[in-house]
Amino acid sequence: KDITCPATIQKHAIIMLSSLLLQDYIKWRGLLFYRFLAATVDEDETVSQLAENTLCGPLLSKQPDLLSSNFVEAIFVLNSCSVHPIYRAAAATGECDNIDIAGFDGIHLFGTKGRKKRLRAYYVMLSNMKDEEKVGIVARLAKEVLGSALEVTSGLSLACRSAVSTNAQKDIRSINVQKYESATNVLSDTFAVLTSPWCRVGRTSTGDENQDDNDHAGLSATTAQLAVVKGRLLSKISRKHLIETIVPILCNLKTVLESNRSALLKDLMIYLVEIFRRYKGEVKELLATDPSLLSELEFDMRQFEKKQKETPGKKNPKAHPV
């Protein structure tokens, strides 16, 4: 086989780097993790499979929080949102004097063309996470991405404004267009992840929910019971956070997106409709003190669902293989 073949070189690099990482000869400095993650969605199937098996196998076993501790950062890095503090913090991982750290040069997963690969990368990570890690991921996405978008001083807030808005046009002219687009894609990807069933507590790696019997079949009765209780507790925690924290953020963000006629409104509504469909009673109870907002929300969701049905063939984006 031609050893100069790009795929062969990539596979040799994956094997060599993983071996060095496992033996602690090198560390996850800079954006090395995200370069490894990008390899899991390489166009060459043999490269992507090797990278995924290595990353989610021995490397994850060595560092159990490897995926969960880098998930939110991955959304910023894969979208090349380099001006955001989260990206800069990720790029500076392990930084010290006289030691070069890995960058992200030469990897292009940002923009519309790279969306399918980005969603696949998120799926690879989520499908190898425990429920408690997913709870933490959702909490971070709500606070550090959606919540940040509501802050006027945040770089993500500009993405909430439409390019047709006069004020937004002035703001966009003053910055690099790529920065505006990357911030927009960060928010769009975040909504896709949150809407995805793979981000839910109780979702197994096979895609099924509520599979307690199958998941714990090989465990002792006591251990299995504890696992079931833990799963139910995490589900309650997840639901409580969703209703009490995320829904208010979404309502505020919806107002901002509507006033600016932002294209992100569709992504938000897809997520909000999903929440309302699953937890209608809880959402109504939360908004009971603001009946006008509840009525407006119900009307908007009915209109949105009606519009979605009138435009068949456009499937909702999900963070899983497509």
Side-chain angles (χ1 to χ4, degrees), residues 134-253:
K134 293 179 182 179
V135 172
I137 290 298
V138 171
R140 284 195 64 195
L141 289 175
K143 179 182 179 181
E144 299 177 33
V145 181
L146 301 185
S148 176
L150 289 171
E151 300 174 3
V152 179
T153 57
S154 168
L156 293 179
S157 66
L158 183 61
C160 297
R161 308 177 198 176
S162 172
V164 300
S165 166
T166 302
N167 292 332
Q169 285 181 345
K170 293 179 181 178
D171 290 335
I172 293 172
R173 290 194 196 103
S174 66
I175 65 170
N176 187 292
V177 174
Q178 192 272 329
K179 295 177 182 178
Y180 170 79
E181 292 179 346
S182 64
T184 300
N185 287 328
V186 163
L187 285 167
S188 182
D189 284 7
T190 297
F191 283 125
V193 168
L194 291 172
T195 306
S196 168
W198 302 103
C199 201
R200 297 177 198 163
V201 171
R203 173 69 61 167
T204 67
S205 59
T206 59
D208 297 323
E209 291 182 285
N210 302 319
Q211 294 293 317
D212 293 331
D213 293 338
N214 293 333
D215 292 343
H216 311 308
L219 304 177
S220 65
T222 302
T223 304
Q225 288 176 350
L226 289 174
V228 171
V229 171
K230 179 182 178 182
R232 290 173 179 170
L233 177 61
L234 288 172
S235 293
K236 289 182 179 180
I237 293 174
S238 176
R239 179 180 298 190
K240 180 180 176 65
H241 179 263
L242 182 68
I243 300 302
E244 297 182 0
T245 303
I246 298 181
V247 170
I249 291 176
L250 292 176
C251 290
N252 291 330
L253 196 54

Side-chain angles (χ1 to χ4, degrees), residues 47-179:
V47 172
S48 62
Q49 287 184 344
L50 176 62
E52 181 177 344
N53 291 338
T54 305
L55 185 64
C56 301
L59 292 174
L60 182 59
S61 296
K62 179 177 175 59
Q63 186 177 334
D65 68 340
L66 180 62
L67 302 180
S68 59
S69 63
N70 289 289
F71 187 87
V72 175
E73 289 76 5
I75 295 180
F76 286 87
V77 174
L78 297 187
N79 279 293
S80 298
C81 194
S82 57
V83 296
H84 197 278
I86 289 180
Y87 182 105
R88 293 199 295 268
T93 301
E95 187 176 31
C96 58
D97 296 336
N98 302 320
I99 295 181
D100 293 330
I101 57 177
F104 211 60
D105 298 336
I107 297 179
H108 306 288
L109 295 179
F110 56 84
T112 304
K113 292 183 179 180
R115 181 175 172 81
K116 183 176 180 179
K117 289 186 177 181
R118 294 198 307 273
L119 295 184
R120 167 66 190 176
Y122 305 147
Y123 161 75
V124 168
M125 299 178 78
L126 288 170
S127 62
N128 286 279
M129 285 188 198
K130 298 177 181 178
D131 281 345
E132 53 265 38
E133 292 176 315
K134 293 179 182 179
V135 172
I137 290 298
V138 171
R140 284 195 64 195
L141 289 175
K143 179 182 179 181
E144 299 177 33
V145 181
L146 301 185
S148 176
L150 289 171
E151 300 174 3
V152 179
T153 57
S154 168
L156 293 179
S157 66
L158 183 61
C160 297
R161 308 177 198 176
S162 172
V164 300
S165 166
T166 302
N167 292 332
Q169 285 181 345
K170 293 179 181 178
D171 290 335
I172 293 172
R173 290 194 196 103
S174 66
I175 65 170
N176 187 292
V177 174
Q178 192 272 329
K179 295 177 182 178

Side-chain angles (χ1 to χ4, degrees), residues 5-17:
C5 172
T8 302
I9 295 174
Q10 283 180 284
K11 286 186 284 187
H12 285 170
I14 291 171
I15 294 172
M16 180 183 69
L17 287 172

Side-chain angles (χ1 to χ4, degrees), residues 254-269:
K254 175 176 174 289
T255 301
V256 174
L257 297 179
E258 284 178 333
S259 63
N260 290 284
R261 292 180 288 169
S262 171
L264 287 168
L265 181 61
K266 179 180 178 180
D267 295 321
L268 181 146
M269 289 302 297

